[in-house]
Amino acid sequence: MLTIMAQLWKGRFKKELAKETNDFNSSIKFDCRMFEEDIKGSIAHATMLGAAGIIEQSESEKITEGLMEILGDIKSGRLEIDMEAEDIHTFVEGELTARLGQTGKRLHTARSRNDQVALDIRMVLKNEVDEISEKVKNLISVLCSKAEENKHTIMPGYTHLQRAQPITFAHHLMAYASMLCRDLDRLKDVKRRMNVLPLGSGALAGTTYPLDREMVADLLGFDSISANSLDGVSDRDFCIELAAALSLIMVHLSRFSEEIIMWCSWEFKFIELDDAFSTGSSIMPQKKNPDIAELVRGKSGRVFGDLTTLLTVMKGIALAYNKDMQEDKEAIFDAVDTVKMCLNAFTPMIDTMTVLKDNMRNAAAKGFINATDCADYLVGKGLAFRDAYKATGELVALCIDKNLTLETLPLEEYKAVCDLFDEKVYTAINLEKCVNDRLVAGGPAVQSVEMQIESAREYIGNYRF
Ligand code: ARG
């Protein structure tokens, strides 16, 4: 391949690229995954060149056929991508020329690798966004099903990791579903701005040929064409936006993982992961470790790193294309691959986990998570909330002293603190009632969570990439 490159540059250069320089300069090891998009982009370009009369129609057809063959040969393994090539664009063009001779050399008319690579990354990432969106949708759907099964599963809700107020496991799961719905929304938004065709920007200054850029956009499924050729070749905002959207997905998966890890511990024992999604210890026979969740939490670091890489690569380069930008691909591909891998492992792990409902209920029964409801009961009797709060605080202190709960504290003790209390307080602090009185939209009551499940399902049902 070095020879083909040397031929491409021939006019200006007297020597071939040094081996070390070629290895350093080359991007084929990571851009070879764009071969299909590169070829499809070239087919669209050649088709337009023919239709616009920039090259002969017959040559355009020959180029298309040649490119289709190359695509088929790479896919079937008949043609191996040469890892000595500078990049995938050079390889495909070189192979086409090797097969078609002079005609192959016409493909690059009115095009630069700068607008070509900008096109290829957009095409690759559009597909990746669709794939990731589908995986996020699946996870939301699994969360909705799990929530459906756990609408009545009372658990303590926490703030500061201290038991705070009663919720249900369904309510907790649907919080993650809400985050993931926003993630889907962001992916869609990223794709909208990604869906702009840069081809036709040339190296930086457009071209003198009468290109039909709209035609290429139509052929390749782009919504519009880039407005400025300098920006067309040097814009990588869409990579950064995608890495940011992926980083947020990882923030969400990582927080969820942290909870899974805690819930698996003997200290919580709220869930048990399926054996297929846990690992043992090489020395401690009793261990069942939530490695998958830990790895997802750990891998978030890679994706944040990729985002930082992209921001740093782009922040100081003058217009238009600079070779620095070749660094975009490893970073964004790593982010994409990591998120896909994490979702592939995470979703079935959630789907197959066992919810230990009794343990959640027992934990909810301790920690005075119905104290707010006790205070609200007094408010119902006409007391100001601040006074009710104080009286309940005294009751909690009393319970702690006597090793009792609000449920087991005798009525006389209640009355001694505030004479507004009567028998009905026990109904008021019943956990099921506490949860189901929280009927407010977005709250944990069964009906309220049912609405959350319904709207999440509706959202993913109507979601179009
Ligand atoms: N491999 C290059 C990249 O990924 C392709 C564009 C090369 N353009 C150039 N002017 N050297 O950025």
Side-chain angles (χ1 to χ4, degrees):
M1 274 321 301
L2 216 52
T3 24
I4 285 165
M5 266 320 304
Q7 276 167 4
L8 283 179
W9 292 346
K10 209 168 168 182
R12 171 77 171 76
F13 287 79
K14 297 196 174 71
K15 278 188 187 173
E16 287 198 350
L17 204 60
K19 167 93 176 90
E20 299 78 1
T21 321
N22 189 55
D23 291 346
F24 181 64
N25 196 45
S26 162
S27 55
I28 190 92
K29 287 189 181 66
F30 45 87
D31 66 20
C32 60
R33 74 189 257 170
M34 309 198 300
F35 74 89
E36 185 159 0
E37 289 77 8
D38 190 76
I39 292 174
K40 288 183 171 163
S42 288
I43 291 175
H45 180 65
T47 306
M48 179 276 292
L49 290 179
I54 298 167
I55 63 174
E56 293 293 327
Q57 190 61 39
S58 58
E59 288 193 300
S60 159
E61 280 160 21
K62 267 202 223 154
I63 290 174
T64 299
E65 271 167 40
L67 287 168
M68 291 297 285
E69 272 169 27
I70 293 174
L71 180 59
D73 288 351
I74 295 177
K75 279 187 166 177
S76 67
R78 276 195 297 277
L79 175 63
E80 211 180 301
I81 297 176
D82 182 355
M83 288 298 145
E84 294 297 308
E86 185 183 335
D87 53 34
I88 190 64
H89 328 293
T90 317
F91 172 75
V92 172
E93 193 189 335
E95 182 64 29
L96 187 74
T97 305
R99 293 185 182 200
L100 301 186
Q102 283 304 110
T103 303
K105 292 185 189 170
R106 297 206 188 276
L107 168 64
H108 212 53
T109 313
R111 188 176 71 167
S112 156
R113 274 185 304 163
N114 296 352
D115 56 353
Q116 188 178 355
V117 72
L119 170 72
D120 292 3
I121 316 168
R122 283 176 193 256
M123 287 174 70
V124 171
L125 293 183
K126 273 191 333 174
N127 291 334
E128 297 288 9
V129 168
D130 289 352
E131 233 184 88
I132 293 170
S133 303
E134 193 58 45
K135 290 182 197 295
V136 173
K137 262 172 76 173
N138 286 344
L139 177 54
I140 296 172
S141 160
V142 163
L143 288 176
C144 288
S145 308
K146 280 273 153 195
E148 193 79 63
E149 294 161 24
N150 286 285
K151 287 187 292 197
H152 299 279
T153 309
I154 307 267
M155 74 178 279
Y158 297 81
T159 61
H160 312 271
L161 205 52
Q162 302 287 319
R163 289 175 195 162
Q165 288 181 339
I167 57 169
T168 64
F169 192 49
H171 187 225
H172 200 111
L173 292 176
M174 290 313 290
Y176 283 104
S178 288
M179 297 175 218
L180 292 162
C181 284
R182 287 198 297 277
D183 288 327
L184 268 185
D185 210 40
R186 265 185 285 273
L187 288 172
K188 195 173 186 171
D189 200 40
V190 167
K191 190 172 164 192
R192 190 166 60 80
R193 275 183 296 277
M194 194 181 274
N195 211 2
V196 177
L197 177 98
L199 203 69
S201 300
L204 75 157
T207 176
T208 52
Y209 295 94
L211 300 186
D212 186 350
R213 297 187 64 203
E214 298 287 354
M215 176 183 174
V216 181
D218 279 350
L219 288 172
L220 294 174
F222 281 88
D223 287 341
S224 59
I225 61 172
S226 54
N228 176 287
S229 61
L230 290 171
D231 184 48
V233 286
S234 66
D235 169 30
R236 294 293 182 275
D237 289 3
F238 58 96
C239 294
I240 296 174
E241 282 190 60
L242 177 57
L246 296 178
S247 292
L248 270 170
I249 293 178
M250 290 308 294
V251 168
H252 299 150
L253 293 186
S254 183
R255 290 181 76 178
F256 204 167
S257 293
E258 168 68 12
E259 299 208 287
I260 299 286
I261 294 159
M262 283 194 307
W263 293 339
C264 284
S265 71
W266 282 105
E267 282 68 17
F268 278 82
K269 265 289 164 248
F270 283 3
I271 60 162
E272 180 153 354
L273 294 180
D274 192 84
D275 284 358
F277 297 94
S278 327
T279 55
S281 154
S282 60
I283 176 172
M284 299 166 282
Q286 84 284 10
K287 289 295 283 293
K288 184 168 172 184
N289 297 328
D291 286 31
I292 305 303
E294 289 167 29
L295 255 182
V296 169
R297 187 178 57 183
K299 280 185 187 294
S300 60
R302 297 178 71 110
V303 181
F304 308 159
D306 294 328
L307 172 61
T308 307
T309 298
L310 287 163
L311 288 166
T312 313
V313 165
M314 293 308 294
K315 80 171 183 64
I317 50 181
L319 295 182
Y321 179 86
N322 295 264
K323 191 75 170 201
D324 316 39
M325 289 162 65
Q326 181 166 286
E327 290 289 311
D328 60 356
K329 282 172 280 302
E330 275 172 295
I332 194 62
F333 292 162
D334 180 69
V336 158
D337 293 343
T338 303
V339 168
K340 286 201 290 191
M341 222 167 28
C342 288
L343 285 165
N344 286 348
F346 197 85
T347 303
M349 177 184 77
I350 298 294
D351 201 18
T352 54
M353 72 182 175
T354 306
V355 181
L356 304 173
K357 300 182 181 187
D358 290 346
N359 293 351
M360 289 188 181
R361 181 70 177 74
N362 289 341
K366 293 172 201 142
F368 307 101
I369 63 178
N370 43 9
T372 318
D373 301 85
C374 182
D376 286 343
Y377 168 83
L378 289 177
V379 171
K381 296 268 177 192
L383 205 62
F385 180 77
R386 272 292 150 237
D387 294 331
Y389 173 98
K390 186 162 170 286
T392 309
E394 281 173 37
L395 288 169
V396 168
L398 200 65
C399 287
I400 293 170
D401 249 12
K402 295 179 180 268
N403 200 19
L404 292 171
T405 63
L406 287 173
E407 287 88 338
T408 54
L409 187 74
L411 188 59
E412 310 84 74
E413 304 276 10
Y414 274 99
K415 282 187 176 297
V417 170
C418 175
D419 58 10
L420 289 173
F421 279 114
D422 63 32
E423 274 300 321
K424 293 201 185 94
V425 68
Y426 296 107
T427 320
I429 59 167
N430 169 277
L431 288 182
E432 278 72 19
K433 180 171 161 43
C434 295
V435 165
N436 283 312
D437 280 356
R438 290 180 156 75
L439 260 170
V440 62
V446 173
Q447 262 172 280
S448 178
V449 170
E450 274 168 353
M451 276 166 61
Q452 294 166 45
I453 297 173
E454 197 184 302
S455 63
R457 283 187 169 145
E458 204 177 288
Y459 181 73
I460 55 173
N462 294 333
Y463 185 87
R464 296 284 169 269
F465 305 136

